[in-house]
Amino acid sequence: MPKLLFIAPSSPFPAYDGKRQRTLAFLLAALQDYSVDFLALDGYPSKELLFIPDGLRDRFRFITLPLSQDPKWLKKLGLSFFPNARNQEMFSELLESTFYDRIFCRYANSARDLPQGQRFVLDVDDDYEELMLSKISNERNPIQKLRLWQIFQFNRSYYQRIIERAKIAIWVKSEAGKLNGKLLANLPFQILFSGKPRLVQASKNDILFVGKLSYKPNSEGLKWFLIHVWPELKTMNSGVKLTVVSTVRPAADMEKLIEDLEGVSLKVGVSDILGVYHSSKVCIVPIFFGGGSNIKLSESLLMGRVVVASEFGARGFSEWVQNGFVSVAYSPQNWVLAINEAFNKPWLEEEWEGVRDNFSLEAWNKKFLSILHES
């Protein structure tokens, strides 16, 4: 069986968030055709071993390298893609002592210290250029805006060199796909554990927001919606309710805003996310900056729920915008109109089954393996 070196910032175990779940999906797919050595760059394999399901323990192995930390001056300048010479030596020694048929890197940072001339497959995921440009455009503080611009300029050329070195770069959305590109979108990766959930038609015109509120794009986007959209929407639909779901508690000001608004409730650490989706008819994605693609949007479609999203939040889902399952809203008035239209959209189970066919883990695995084989 061919041998694969899988490099990632951290272990996929426990797979408690979307990023780790995508890492786990790649690992499980690779194990179908490859013997895998998994190198977690944060270097804590013994702790992570506790979370590996018994059925996986003998199917791959963790390896470690005595990697060094970046100098403090590099961190202060924000040079996260600047290569570390000592770590490059460590990788050179590893690749000289062990032959790998393929190398797969999860995120550009994971490929940073590979020797020059070494080819690899790269899962870009959060496109650094998109992430930083969106942050800069949304930053209101001029000093912080300048600081972000400086960090972006310091990092940009190093980031681009990593992308150029990749044999194949995997992008999560067509809008960001560039050099050496193959598209492999995000799935709602909880299907790794639970399979496809059953479809249930919502009985009320209620709204759902799902997102970790410690993540700034989520908290800022939700705050904008609550301040600029919710009051008018509530005036037009007095009985409408909004449920906000987060894995962690939000900041105090956000929690107070939610508490003070009529019809808005917060649920933290929900054990039965399926039940929350079933009780809501429309999902919202008011995201205005960030990177990657919104897994919660694909999760909403898998659950049979129409989505109203910002233009940025809907990136990567143009097919669903064209088909009418995702609506893009711009101004607060657009949001109110789009949500009301979504409330009135007929819900047809056979139509939603057709949508869900596009979120096949088997097809996703097959495409990823074909990318590895091609490289």
Side-chain angles (χ1 to χ4, degrees), residues 22 25 29 32 183-192 195-197 298-299 301-302 319-320 352-369:
R22 184 173 170 94
Q32 295 179 27
L183 184 64
L184 193 59
N186 267 323
L187 294 181
F189 287 111
Q190 79 274 11
I191 60 178
L192 288 167
K196 280 187 181 180
S298 57
E299 181 178 271
L301 294 174
L302 184 73
E319 176 184 353
W320 308 111
W352 280 109
E353 286 293 359
V355 171
R356 284 150 53 94
D357 287 343
N358 291 272
F359 297 100
S360 162
L361 187 60
E362 293 76 17
W364 192 91
N365 290 344
K366 185 177 180 180
K367 186 170 184 180
F368 172 55
L369 289 172

Side-chain angles (χ1 to χ4, degrees), residues 70-264:
D70 292 335
K72 290 183 179 179
W73 67 269
L74 273 182
K75 292 181 179 179
K76 286 184 178 180
L77 288 175
L79 283 172
S80 54
F81 298 104
F82 190 81
N84 182 306
R86 168 159 172 73
N87 291 346
Q88 285 181 317
E89 291 179 7
M90 294 293 102
F91 273 103
S92 294
E93 291 175 8
L94 170 66
L95 296 174
E96 286 172 4
S97 62
T98 307
F99 175 77
Y100 292 101
D101 297 275
R102 302 284 188 278
I103 297 176
F104 173 71
C105 298
R106 178 90 165 94
Y107 297 111
N109 272 351
S110 299
R112 185 191 72 170
D113 295 327
L114 286 173
Q116 292 296 321
Q118 181 66 57
R119 304 307 292 269
F120 50 88
V121 176
L122 172 65
D123 178 49
V124 180
D125 201 344
D126 294 332
D127 177 30
Y128 179 75
E129 292 184 345
E130 178 190 52
L131 173 65
M132 291 301 294
L133 288 172
S134 66
K135 276 187 175 181
I136 291 166
S137 67
N138 281 275
E139 180 56 57
R140 300 181 186 89
N141 184 315
I143 296 176
Q144 184 62 15
K145 196 182 200 74
L146 177 61
R147 172 62 177 150
L148 288 172
W149 181 255
Q150 289 173 330
I151 291 173
F152 176 54
Q153 293 303 322
F154 283 145
N155 273 297
R156 191 175 194 178
S157 62
Y158 294 106
Y159 172 74
Q160 289 174 338
R161 287 175 203 171
I162 293 172
I163 303 297
E164 289 168 2
R165 287 171 53 204
K167 177 74 173 178
I168 298 175
I170 298 173
W171 304 86
V172 295
K173 51 191 173 187
S174 58
E175 293 92 339
K178 300 173 188 131
L179 190 65
N180 306 336
K182 297 282 187 180
L183 184 64
L184 193 59
N186 267 323
L187 294 181
F189 287 111
Q190 79 274 11
I191 60 178
L192 288 167
F193 317 106
S194 58
K196 280 187 181 180
R198 62 192 177 91
L199 281 172
V200 174
Q201 183 175 3
S203 59
K204 296 180 181 179
N205 285 346
D206 288 340
I207 302 171
L208 177 63
F209 174 92
V210 180
K212 185 190 252 186
L213 290 178
S214 59
Y215 181 51
K216 190 174 181 180
N218 288 338
S219 59
E220 290 290 314
L222 177 62
K223 180 187 265 188
W224 178 89
F225 179 87
L226 293 175
I227 293 172
H228 297 287
V229 180
W230 182 250
E232 184 177 346
L233 184 66
K234 186 68 173 172
T235 299
M236 295 180 65
N237 304 269
S238 60
V240 69
K241 294 181 181 179
L242 167 63
T243 301
V244 175
V245 175
S246 172
T247 54
V248 298
R249 300 209 78 84
D253 61 334
M254 171 64 78
E255 191 156 6
K256 186 175 188 309
L257 176 61
I258 292 171
E259 289 176 355
D260 290 346
L261 288 171
E262 182 185 355
V264 182

